[in-house]
Amino acid sequence: MKEWWVQVGLLSVPLLAVYLHIPPPKLSPALLSWRSSGGYFTYKDQNIFYRDSTGAVGSSDVVVLLHGFPTSSYDWCKIWEGLTQRFHRVIALDFVGFGFSDKPRPHRYSIFEQASIVEGLVRHLGLRHQRINLLSHDYGDTVAQELLHRDWEMWSKTLVALQLCSLTSFQGFSPKRTTPGSSRSTSRHHLLRNNGFLFSILQYINQRKKHRDRWVGALMSTSVPLHLIYGPLDPVNPHPEFLQLYKKVLPMSTVSVLDDHISHYPQLEDPTGFLNAYLNFINSF
């Protein structure tokens, strides 16, 4: 009798081959509209999707939105209109490997590359020396931390709001990848259908551990105002341990705690509460 793992392998290979050749589901009307209202710029031969909306008249403020794993810029859809009423420009991109951006393989995906892509987009849009506000979530938090570490002149006047998952790098908690079913983005299939490079994308977890001092240190040493918007039901950053540690390590940061039933995707689960918390932070300066 063949070893069990040989039998499993023989069965898994054809099933995987069939799965990878199943066409992805059609995009919903909402996603089609999202894509049609955006555009692309090129970063090192990779096509990067982004949206850039002009909003509030009389304001010069710009906000750049950095999405999490494993989703895309569509994570911000429920607060997009509200942001355009406050900011002159609202900008979001799909990191390489995510959403409507290219998904090269083989490819060594890294937080450093994603931060450079954000810098490339800022240059592409002619915003290199303009005040920019960063609003980040999950994977995007680590990208924001790398941008702070680089200490650009442009970031020196930036206000940063973090929906943190990235601080698991010093937290001591295991970075669980559970996500509440109610908050899943319909764009997830753009990444998850491409299992061939999922492992490469997930290397960001190891990168967080390896570069813990660099990225946590960036938050601890920055003069940029920081704000945490937190859902107490977040399974990635459990309450109250995470909040206690966050306040201990970053006492200069302000914090908004949303309702008890809000979890890891507050911008989708409670867009009104999230937007109010963010704008209260922005408007305090």
Side-chain angles (χ1 to χ4, degrees):
M1 182 176 179
K2 296 180 179 179
E3 295 287 345
W4 66 268
W5 55 269
V6 174
Q7 297 182 43
V8 171
L10 291 174
L11 178 63
S12 300
V13 170
L15 289 176
L16 181 61
V18 170
Y19 172 78
L20 292 176
H21 285 83
I22 297 175
K26 292 183 179 180
L27 296 179
S28 67
L31 279 173
L32 287 171
S33 175
W34 189 264
R35 184 176 64 181
S36 65
S37 62
Y40 292 85
F41 82 104
T42 302
Y43 176 83
K44 293 187 177 179
D45 298 326
Q46 305 298 337
N47 293 316
I48 305 299
F49 175 83
Y50 71 95
R51 289 193 72 191
D52 178 9
S53 294
T54 301
V57 176
S59 171
S60 60
D61 288 351
V62 177
V63 61
V64 174
L65 314 176
L66 307 178
H67 70 81
F69 175 94
T71 49
S72 71
S73 58
Y74 190 67
D75 279 356
W76 306 108
C77 64
K78 289 188 177 181
I79 63 169
W80 193 268
E81 184 177 353
L83 290 173
T84 62
Q85 295 174 15
R86 169 59 178 81
F87 292 94
H88 175 59
R89 290 174 77 172
V90 180
I91 299 164
L93 77 160
D94 290 348
F95 293 126
V96 64
F98 296 78
F100 296 118
S101 292
D102 283 352
K103 303 169 184 62
R105 48 183 171 178
H107 188 76
R108 298 187 66 177
Y109 292 90
S110 76
I111 294 297
F112 300 102
E113 177 186 40
Q114 306 289 20
S116 295
I117 289 172
V118 175
E119 292 177 326
L121 176 60
V122 168
R123 287 192 296 268
H124 173 75
L125 297 176
L127 300 174
R128 177 65 178 82
H129 297 291
Q130 187 163 341
R131 165 178 163 145
I132 292 179
N133 302 282
L134 291 178
L135 176 56
S136 63
H137 175 232
D138 188 83
Y139 183 94
D141 292 336
T142 314
V143 178
Q145 287 171 256
E146 172 58 22
L147 291 168
L148 288 176
H149 177 83
R150 296 182 185 189
D151 198 25
W152 270 18
E153 177 186 348
M154 63 170 292
W155 301 122
S156 64
K157 296 181 180 179
T158 297
L159 308 178
V160 179
L162 306 170
Q163 298 164 248
L164 286 172
C165 172
S166 59
L167 292 190
T168 50
S169 58
F170 71 77
Q171 217 176 334
F173 303 125
S174 298
K176 304 171 186 176
R177 298 314 324 163
T178 52
T179 301
S182 62
S183 65
R184 282 186 230 153
S185 166
T186 55
S187 63
R188 291 183 68 180
H189 72 87
H190 287 299
L191 170 66
L192 298 182
R193 293 273 316 163
N194 293 274
N195 291 299
F197 68 93
L198 183 57
F199 176 78
S200 181
I201 290 282
L202 284 170
Q203 288 305 302
Y204 80 91
I205 296 176
N206 292 330
Q207 291 166 22
R208 281 177 173 173
K209 295 176 181 177
K210 181 178 180 180
H211 302 289
R212 169 192 176 278
D213 291 343
R214 176 187 181 98
W215 290 332
V216 175
L219 291 178
M220 296 176 69
S221 62
T222 185
S223 60
V224 170
L226 301 174
H227 188 72
L228 167 69
I229 302 175
Y230 181 65
L233 203 59
D234 188 344
V236 179
N237 299 300
H239 185 271
E241 295 87 354
F242 171 78
L243 203 55
Q244 293 169 349
L245 184 58
Y246 179 87
K247 291 179 178 179
K248 179 180 179 180
V249 175
L250 299 173
M252 70 292 193
S253 174
T254 52
V255 175
S256 293
V257 180
L258 302 180
D259 291 344
D260 289 345
H261 66 282
I262 304 303
S263 182
H264 189 61
Y265 279 80
Q267 74 274 41
L268 294 174
E269 299 170 54
D270 182 14
T272 300
F274 176 86
L275 186 63
N276 287 339
Y278 180 57
L279 294 183
N280 285 339
F281 166 61
I282 291 294
N283 293 334
S284 67
F285 294 91

